[in-house]
């Protein structure tokens, strides 16, 4: 029987939980736990509404991999809080969110929800790899449009993009992508690297915005086709477009590797099956007491048991 897999872009979701739940939600000792409790409620709602068989909380072991920075030095540079000599640089994170991230990890581990990352890779790459490996349908839950590149109707891969909490989700399939951007999943990666993305420090091709990029992709098929057209004096590119693409040749040579998620990340063996009971009840009980997880944790446990 084909199993439905749900992949969570965990950091994207706990950031949304943090900003969506008041920081007046606190543990008994006064520590804010709005991101922790908000994420637990998100997961409960997702499981209740979509009933996945398997669920993986994909983790950023490295939010800004050096191999991407080596190719495009501006990649996420504006989000670096502190550079480190060994290991990933520290990401700029709200002061009251950073202490909640280890708590989130501990709670997911005690619940028995698979939490998977890979050194040297982002959660996006873990999601790309698990999507490529999956035999059945895949629902990717993320507030990051970069993952639209994984949409594939033929293989039942879609992105559930939160519009308000996770109760209102935009179901992103090929029809939606074509209606919004004029591209399919793989085409979205080409669109993104052509137009650029300030939030990720990707410069794009100056003078080529989203609409022009979509028109070029419609005319020439993909990035390789556009580059070939720029080198072909008989193509119908305007002189300005040809000049801009020529001037951006170095960027276009490396951008695909940076923008496209990896599909071959080495991952540890793990069980993705959604648990019906906590893996470590004693630890979970202690975490619930220490951090005042109360109703949020109970709501998730109730959903997992049904």
């Amino acid at each position: 029987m084909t199993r439905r897999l749900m992949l969570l872009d965990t950091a994207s979701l706990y950031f949304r939980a943090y900003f969506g739940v008041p920081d007046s939600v606190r543990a008994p000792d006064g520590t804010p736990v709005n991101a922790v409790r908000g994420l637990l409620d998100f997961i409960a709602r997702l499981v209740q509404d979509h009933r996945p068989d398997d669920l993986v909380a994909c983790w950023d072991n490295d939010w800004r991999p050096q191999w991407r920075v080596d190719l495009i030095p501006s990649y996420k540079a504006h989000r670096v809080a502190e550079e480190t000599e060994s290991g990933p640089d520290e990401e700029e994170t709200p002061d009251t969110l950073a202490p909640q991230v280890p708590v989130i990890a501990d709670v997911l581990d005690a619940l028995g929800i698979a939490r998977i990352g890979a050194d040297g890779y982002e959660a996006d790459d873990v999601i790309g790899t698990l999507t490529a490996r999956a035999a059945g349908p895949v629902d990717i839950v993320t507030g990051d449009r970069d993952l639209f590149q994984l949409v594939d109707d033929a293989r039942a891969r879609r992105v559930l993009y939160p519009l308000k909490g996770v109760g209102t989700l935009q179901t992103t399939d090929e029809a939606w992508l074509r209606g919004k951007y004029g591209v399919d999943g793989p085409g979205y990666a080409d669109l993104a690297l052509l137009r650029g993305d300030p939030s990720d420090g990707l410069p794009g091709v100056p003078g080529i915005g989203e609409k022009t990029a979509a028109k070029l992709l419609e005319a020439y098929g993909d990035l390789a086709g556009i580059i070939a057209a720029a080198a072909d004096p008989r193509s119908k590119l305007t002189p300005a477009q040809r000049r801009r693409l020529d001037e951006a040749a170095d960027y276009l040579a490396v951008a695909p590797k940076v923008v496209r998620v990896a599909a071959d990340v080495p991952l540890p063996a793990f069980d993705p099956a959604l648990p019906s009971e906590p893996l470590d009840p004693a630890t979970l009980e202690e975490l619930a007491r220490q951090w005042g997880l109360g109703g949020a944790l109970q709501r998730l446990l109730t959903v997992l048991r049904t």
Side-chain angles (χ1 to χ4, degrees), residues 55-303:
L55 185 143
V56 182
C58 301
W59 206 256
D60 278 318
N61 278 23
D62 190 339
W63 67 280
R64 187 176 182 248
Q66 188 61 44
W67 58 270
R68 282 192 166 106
V69 177
D70 289 343
L71 295 170
I72 298 180
S74 62
Y75 182 67
K76 295 186 177 180
H78 60 295
R79 287 155 56 180
V80 175
E82 185 178 344
E83 294 185 356
T84 57
E85 289 295 326
S86 59
D89 293 335
E90 288 188 24
E91 183 178 13
E92 193 172 78
T93 305
D95 290 345
T96 55
L97 171 58
Q100 297 187 59
V101 177
V103 180
I104 289 169
D106 290 344
V107 172
L108 292 175
D109 292 350
L111 280 165
I113 290 176
R115 183 176 62 86
I116 302 300
D119 291 347
Y121 293 95
E122 301 174 54
D124 286 9
D125 301 309
V126 176
I127 290 170
T129 298
L130 292 174
T131 299
R133 290 182 185 179
V138 179
D139 288 337
I140 299 162
V141 188
T142 181
D144 184 352
R145 292 183 300 170
D146 290 347
L147 289 167
F148 288 175
Q149 66 185 274
L150 296 175
V151 167
D152 184 345
D153 286 2
R155 301 185 65 214
R157 276 73 170 117
R158 62 183 185 172
V159 170
L160 303 179
Y161 184 90
L163 299 174
K164 185 177 181 182
V166 292
T168 306
L169 295 169
Q170 168 192 293
T171 299
T172 308
D173 55 14
E174 287 183 15
W176 190 92
L177 280 179
R178 290 196 181 279
K180 178 71 173 178
Y181 300 108
V183 297
D184 60 7
Y188 185 83
D190 288 344
L191 179 85
L193 67 87
L194 285 164
R195 73 162 183 227
D197 186 348
S199 69
D200 279 343
L202 295 172
V205 178
I208 294 183
E210 187 169 281
K211 290 182 179 178
T212 300
K215 288 178 181 177
L216 291 174
L217 288 166
E218 183 180 11
Y220 301 106
D222 57 15
L223 180 63
I226 293 170
I227 292 172
D232 181 359
R234 298 167 299 175
S235 73
K236 294 182 179 180
L237 288 172
T238 67
Q241 289 170 344
R242 196 182 305 276
R243 186 185 72 254
R244 287 164 180 157
L245 290 164
D246 286 343
E247 290 172 350
D250 290 345
Y251 164 76
L252 292 174
V254 298
K257 187 171 182 183
V258 174
V259 172
R260 292 171 187 158
V261 299
D264 56 355
V265 175
L267 299 176
F270 68 96
D271 182 1
L274 199 60
S276 58
E277 294 292 339
L279 178 66
D280 188 342
T283 298
L284 189 63
E285 184 176 345
E286 175 57 24
L287 289 167
R289 184 199 62 75
Q290 180 180 356
W291 300 109
L293 303 182
L297 181 58
Q298 288 306 313
R299 284 189 289 275
L300 176 53
L301 288 170
T302 297
V303 171

Side-chain angles (χ1 to χ4, degrees), residues 12-24:
S12 169
L13 294 179
Y14 66 60
F15 265 92
R16 282 178 176 252
Y18 175 81
F19 288 109
V21 178
D23 67 2
S24 57

